[in-house]
C-alpha cells in the first residue's frame, strides 16, 4: 500500500491546497463495512477490481488488473500480501446512496493475521469460492475467523464462466463442509463482470450496517499503519463512536502518545482528504508522527481531553511467530540503516517481530520471528527492495521449551544457544493441527508424507470426491519443505492450513554440522533422535554438492555432541604445478609435487572454507530426492 500511497501523494496535496472535501456525516444505516475472504487464487482481488470499476471508484483509464495489489512484489507473484482498504459510493436500486468500506484480504496461511485484523473492522464478509475448485483449506480457516467475529456471510461462487464450473455441486459442498446456507449464493465471473450488480445489491440487502454512537466522545480502532517518507506515519482507523476531525488532539491509549491530526481522509482508492470521519466509517489520519513505536496495531484512539475516562477496545490477538531466523547485513556498516528499516517495516506488518542478535561470524543483526517461510521470504525481499539493503539469512528454526534440572523454564530460539545436555531434564517442541484438503487420488502419498514427518492422524472425512484429513504434526517437521512436498505429490491440488496447538515433550537432540572440523552455527538444528542419522547423512551429501572444491581435502561431518554420525569428503582441487617442467630429471617434478603436498596439508590445517549463502537453505530442503 506504501507504493500506492506515494503515487497518490500529489493528488492528496492538490486536495489539501484546494481545501478538503466537505461532506455531511453519513447515516449509519447507509454504511456497509465488508471484507472479501477466500483461498489463494479464488479471485478476491479481481472481484475487488470489478466492484471498484462498477461503482466508479476509478475511471477506465485509471483501472488496471489487481489495482489494490500495489506492491511490486504482490504483482510479480500474483498474491495479496497486505490487506487493502477502499471506500466506494453506490446508488442502489431503491434510490438510496450507500458507502461501502471494502477490504481485500490475503489468502495465504502466512498472512492470516492480516485477515484477522481486517475482519475485526467489519460487520460482514463476501466468501468467494472458486466454482470449479470448491472449498479449500484456507477457505475454511478464513470463514471460521469471520464467524468468530460475528460476521454476516454472503457466499459468492466465482469463475462460473469456466467450462469446469459446477455451481450446484459447490453450493452443496459449502453447506456440507462449512455448514452455512448456500442456497442463495451469488453466481459471478469477476473476470467478465457477470453478476457484479447482484453482488452490490446483496451487500446493501444482506449485510448489516455498523453500530455506533455518533454523539459519544471519539473512540477508534487502529487497524493498520505504515510509514511514508513525506507524511510520516499514516494510520488506518475504524471509528467506533464519535467523530474524527482535522485539528483534533488525539491520544493513543496503549502508547500514551498525543498528536494533533493534520489530515483526515479516505481511499477511493486514491487518497482523498475529508473534513471528518463519523461513527462506523473507515479512513486514515496523519499527525506528523515520526516515531514508529507510537502507533501500535490494535490500539484505541481517543480525543485527548481532561477528565475523560474511556475504556480501551479489545484490540487484536497478538500474532504468534512460529518460524525464527537471523537476518544480518552483508556489510556491517549498514547496520544502523538496517535497524531503521526493520522498525519501519514492523510498523507496516504487525505479525513480524524482531530482537537484537550478534554472531561471531556475521556481526550485528536481528533474530526475527515470522508466521511461516513465505512470510520470511517476503519480509527479506521487502527489506532488500524497499530499503536497498543486502542481507544474509541464517537457517530458520522454531521455538523449543526447555526444563532444566534446577526447575528453570527457558525458551530456545536458536539451537546454537542450547545449554549442555546434562543440565536439561526435558525438551518440548511445538505441535500444529494441520487441515489438508485434496482429491481422493492423492490421499495415499499425502498420508505417507504425514507419517514420515511423525504425524498423528486425527480425522479423515469426505465431501464428494475430496478428502479432508486432519493431522497433528511437529512444527519443525513442517517448517522447511512440507508445503512444497505436499504441492508436488498432489500436482498442486492439495491445500494446507494449520494452527499452533501445544508443546509436547520429545526425544530431541542438537545436530551440528562440522566443515573442515569447524562447527557451522547457521546449520545447527534440532532433530528427533530416531531421524538424526538419516538427516545427518542427507545434509552431508547435500553440502558435498553445494560447497565448491578447494585446493585441499574438506571433511564434512554431522555430529551429536562428540559423536560423528555421518561424514562426506570433498576431494581437493589439484593445481598442475609441473606444467612448467619440460623434460629433465624426474626428481625436479617430484620436488615440486612434495612441496605442493606439504602446502596442502598446511592449508587444510589453517584454510578457511567458503560456504555460499544459497547452500544454507538448499541443504535444509529434505526429501526432495
Amino acid at each position: 500500500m506504501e507504493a500506492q500511497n506515494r503515487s497518490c501523494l500529489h493528488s492528496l496535496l492538490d486536495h489539501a491546497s484546494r481545501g478538503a472535501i466537505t461532506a455531511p456525516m453519513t447515516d449509519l444505516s447507509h454504511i456497509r463495512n465488508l471484507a472479501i475472504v477466500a483461498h489463494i487464487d479464488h479471485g478476491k482481488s479481481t472481484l475487488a477490481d470489478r466492484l471498484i470499476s462498477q461503482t466508479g471508484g476509478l475511471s477506465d483509464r485509471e483501472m488496471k488488473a489487481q489495482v489494490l495489489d500495489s506492491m511490486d512484489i504482490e504483482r510479480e507473484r500474483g498474491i495479496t500480501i497486505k490487506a487493502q482498504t477502499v471506500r466506494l459510493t453506490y446508488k442502489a436500486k431503491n434510490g438510496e446512496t450507500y458507502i461501502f468500506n471494502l477490504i481485500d484480504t490475503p489468502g495465504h496461511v502466512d498472512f492470516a493475521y492480516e485477515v484477522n485484523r481486517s475482519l475485526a473492522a467489519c460487520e460482514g464478509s463476501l466468501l468467494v469460492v472458486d466454482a470449479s475448485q470448491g472449498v479449500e483449506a484456507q477457505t475454511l480457516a478464513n470463514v471460521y475467523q469471520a464467524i468468530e467475529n460475528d460476521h454476516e456471510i454472503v457466499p459468492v461462487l466465482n469463475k462460473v464462466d469456466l467450462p469446469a464450473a459446477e455451481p450446484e455441486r459447490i453450493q452443496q459442498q459449502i453447506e456440507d463442509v462449512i455448514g452455512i446456507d448456500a442456497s442463495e449464493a451469488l453466481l459471478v465471473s469477476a473476470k467478465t463482470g457477470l453478476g457484479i450488480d447482484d453482488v452490490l445489491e446483496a451487500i446493501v440487502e444482506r449485510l448489516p450496517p455498523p453500530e455506533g454512537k455518533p454523539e459519544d466522545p471519539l473512540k477508534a480502532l487502529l487497524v493498520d499503519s505504515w510509514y511514508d517518507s513525506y507524511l510520516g506515519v499514516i494510520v488506518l482507523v475504524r471509528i467506533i463512536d464519535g467523530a474524527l476531525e482535522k485539528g483534533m488532539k488525539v491520544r493513543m491509549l496503549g502508547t500514551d502518545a498525543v498528536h494533533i491530526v493534520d489530515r483526515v481522509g479516505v481511499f477511493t482508492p486514491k487518497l482523498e482528504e475529508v473534513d471528518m470521519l463519523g461513527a462506523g466509517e473507515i479512513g486514515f489520519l496523519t499527525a506528523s508522527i515520526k516515531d514508529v513505536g507510537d502507533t501500535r496495531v490494535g490500539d484505541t484512539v481517543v480525543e485527548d481531553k481532561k477528565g475523560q475516562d474511556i475504556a480501551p477496545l479489545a484490540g487484536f490477538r497478538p500474532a504468534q511467530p512460529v518460524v525464527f531466523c537471523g537476518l544480518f547485513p552483508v556489510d556491517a556498516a549498514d547496520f544502523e540503516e538496517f535497524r531503521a528499516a526493520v522498525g519501519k517495516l514492523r510498523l507496516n506488518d504487525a505479525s513480524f517481530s524482531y530482537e537484537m542478535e550478534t554472531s561471531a561470524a556475521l556481526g550485528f543483526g536481528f533474530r526475527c520471528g515470522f508466521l511461516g517461510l513465505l512470510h520470511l521470504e517476503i519480509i527479506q525481499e521487502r527489506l532488500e527492495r524497499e530499503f536497498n539493503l543486502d542481507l544474509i539469512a541464517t537457517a530458520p528454526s522454531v521455538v523449543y521449551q526447555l526444563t532444566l534440572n534446577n526447575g528453570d523454564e527457558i525458551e530456545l530460539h536458536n539451537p546454537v544457544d542450547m545449554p549442555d545436555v546434562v543440565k536439561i531434564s526435558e525438551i518440548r517442541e511445538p505441535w500444529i493441527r494441520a487441515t489438508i484438503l485434496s482429491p481422493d487420488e492423492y490421499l495415499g502419498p499425502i498420508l505417507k508424507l504425514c507419517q514420515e514427518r511423525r504425524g498423528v492422524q486425527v480425522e479423515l472425512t469426505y465431501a464428494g470426491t475430496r478428502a479432508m484429513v486432519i493431522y497433528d504434526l511437529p512444527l519443525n517437521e513442517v517448517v522447511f519443505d512440507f508445503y512444497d512436498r505436499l504441492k508436488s505429490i498432489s500436482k498442486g491440488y492439495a491445500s494446507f492450513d494449520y494452527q499452533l496447538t501445544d508443546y509436547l515433550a520429545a526425544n530431541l537432540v542438537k545436530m551440528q554440522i562440522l566443515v573442515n572440523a569447524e562447527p557451522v552455527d547457521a546449520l545447527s538444528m534440532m532433530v528427533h533422535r530416531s531421524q538424526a542419522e538419516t538427516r545427518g547423512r542427507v545434509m552431508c551429501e547435500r553440502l558435498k554438492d553445494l560447497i565448491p572444491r578447494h585446493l585441499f581435502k574438506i571433511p564434512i561431518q554431522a555430529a551429536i555432541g562428540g559423536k560423528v554420525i555421518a561424514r562426506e569428503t570433498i576431494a581437493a582441487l589439484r593445481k598442475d604445478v609441473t606444467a612448467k617442467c619440460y623434460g629433465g630429471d624426474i626428481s625436479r617434478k617430484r620436488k615440486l609435487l612434495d612441496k605442493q603436498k606439504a602446502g596442502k596439508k598446511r592449508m587444510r590445517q589453517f584454510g578457511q572454507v567458503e560456504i555460499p549463502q544459497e547452500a544454507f537453505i538448499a541443504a535444509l530442503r529434505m526429501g526432495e530426492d
Side-chain angles (χ1 to χ4, degrees), residues 68-354:
L68 294 182
D69 289 345
S70 53
M71 284 192 283
D72 289 343
I73 193 169
E74 289 181 310
R75 305 187 72 79
E76 284 167 23
R77 288 173 177 253
I79 58 172
T80 302
I81 293 166
K82 284 292 296 175
Q84 310 285 12
T85 308
V86 62
R87 176 186 174 121
L88 306 173
T89 305
Y90 174 64
K91 188 159 187 180
K93 288 179 181 174
N94 62 13
E96 300 283 343
T97 301
Y98 291 85
I99 297 292
F100 296 163
N101 292 304
L102 173 72
I103 303 182
D104 176 27
T105 65
H108 197 282
V109 62
D110 281 19
F111 307 114
Y113 189 65
E114 287 286 324
V115 181
N116 182 40
R117 247 180 23 212
S118 305
L119 295 176
C122 302
E123 288 77 38
S125 293
L126 295 181
L127 172 66
V128 180
V129 180
D130 187 318
S132 57
Q133 299 278 351
V135 175
E136 305 270 14
Q138 207 52 33
T139 313
L140 278 173
N142 289 338
V143 79
Y144 288 154
Q145 282 201 60
I147 291 166
E148 277 176 30
N149 282 278
D150 295 327
H151 275 208
E152 188 65 41
I153 295 163
V154 176
V156 177
L157 299 189
N158 191 21
K159 308 187 187 181
V160 294
D161 57 322
L162 294 180
E166 299 177 86
E168 295 82 8
R169 183 177 70 81
I170 303 305
Q171 278 177 301
Q172 191 57 48
Q173 193 183 74
I174 290 171
E175 294 187 359
D176 294 344
V177 178
I178 301 174
I180 61 173
D181 179 20
S183 58
E184 294 183 25
L186 304 170
L187 306 183
V188 306
S189 169
K191 191 174 181 180
T192 64
L194 174 73
I196 298 302
D197 286 332
D198 295 338
V199 175
L200 291 165
E201 282 299 311
I203 291 170
V204 170
E205 292 166 11
R206 292 163 63 177
L207 295 185
E211 293 177 1
K213 297 172 183 169
E215 67 285 351
D216 278 14
L218 171 68
K219 184 189 273 192
L221 177 67
L222 201 159
V223 180
D224 200 0
S225 55
W226 58 94
Y227 191 83
D228 185 282
S229 48
Y230 301 101
L231 301 174
V233 178
I234 298 177
V235 181
L236 184 72
V237 289
R238 156 71 199 269
I239 313 297
I240 307 297
D241 296 325
L244 177 69
E245 298 178 60
K246 184 177 174 178
M248 186 181 274
K249 195 176 182 183
V250 295
R251 179 186 294 276
M252 318 286 175
L253 289 184
T255 56
D256 213 32
V258 177
H259 297 280
I260 294 172
V261 177
D262 293 336
R263 291 180 183 84
V264 176
V266 293
F267 300 107
T268 65
K270 295 177 288 189
L271 280 80
E272 289 195 358
E273 213 176 323
V274 296
D275 277 343
M276 68 159 63
L277 288 171
E281 294 190 277
I282 297 175
F284 72 86
L285 68 90
T286 66
S288 302
I289 302 169
K290 301 287 189 295
D291 186 358
V292 294
D294 284 358
T295 54
R296 281 193 206 143
V297 167
D299 203 350
T300 305
V301 182
V302 299
E303 188 175 0
D304 188 43
K305 276 186 178 176
K306 282 186 179 176
Q308 185 172 261
D309 185 24
I310 297 179
L313 297 161
F316 311 117
R317 250 191 346 257
Q320 183 75 42
V322 294
V323 180
F324 288 82
C325 95
L327 287 176
F328 297 85
V330 170
D331 183 352
D334 292 339
F335 177 71
E336 285 306 320
E337 201 178 320
F338 178 40
R339 187 206 293 269
V342 166
K344 287 172 185 173
L345 196 64
R346 168 75 176 84
L347 179 75
N348 188 228
D349 187 346
S351 56
F352 163 59
S353 61
Y354 64 93

